[in-house]
Amino acid sequence: QLQASGGGLVQAGGSLRLSCAASGRIFSSSVMGWFRQFPEKEREFVALIRWNRDSTYFADSVKGRFTISRDRPESTLYLHMNSLKPEDTAVYYCAAGSQYSSRQYDCNVWGQGTLVTVSS
């Protein structure tokens, strides 16, 4: 299971760190990532990372502003969001799968969402 946290209200230009705590076994081949969903739209990919390698991939919309990391001993995934914009306002979800893929359909475990609101 995945448990996301860390959302909240932040001003434009500010920073926020999301966490995703994983319970149960995480396979070394797992890929974990973050998606976000705007109102009345499908979830879109944000970032992903291989659990056992420093291999990351970002959506163009967040590249250079967001970073993704994981703490393997703590089984926790992070999304570090900097230079936040109002258009980053969304519900953010963490997810896990076995494919190094930005497609939500390749994820088979999802956390609950955490709301990030960026005010202008």
Side-chain angles (χ1 to χ4, degrees):
Q1 287 187 338
L2 302 176
Q3 181 78 26
S5 62
L9 175 64
V10 62
Q11 287 190 331
S15 299
L16 208 57
R17 187 184 76 168
L18 303 183
S19 301
C20 177
S23 58
R25 183 179 176 185
I26 300 176
F27 294 98
S28 60
S29 59
S30 293
V31 178
M32 297 189 72
W34 292 92
F35 292 76
R36 64 186 180 184
Q37 188 166 19
F38 304 109
E40 300 181 4
K41 294 196 174 181
E42 282 201 6
R43 287 179 194 174
E44 69 172 31
F45 167 74
V46 175
L48 60 81
I49 187 169
R50 291 190 186 275
W51 190 250
N52 67 338
R53 288 166 56 186
D54 290 331
S55 179
T56 60
Y57 181 60
F58 295 91
D60 288 343
S61 58
V62 305
K63 202 173 293 182
R65 300 188 298 122
F66 292 11
T67 59
I68 187 171
S69 65
R70 75 273 186 261
D71 183 330
R72 285 189 291 237
E74 295 296 323
S75 297
T76 302
L77 176 74
Y78 298 101
L79 183 68
H80 310 265
M81 304 185 294
N82 300 311
S83 303
L84 282 162
K85 305 175 182 179
E87 51 263 44
D88 293 318
T89 295
V91 177
Y92 285 72
Y93 297 88
C94 56
S98 59
Q99 303 296 318
Y100 193 72
S101 166
S102 60
R103 302 191 316 163
Q104 61 171 320
Y105 305 105
D106 287 326
C107 300
N108 47 33
V109 182
W110 289 87
Q112 91 292 358
T114 184
L115 176 63
V116 172
T117 304
V118 184
S119 63
S120 57

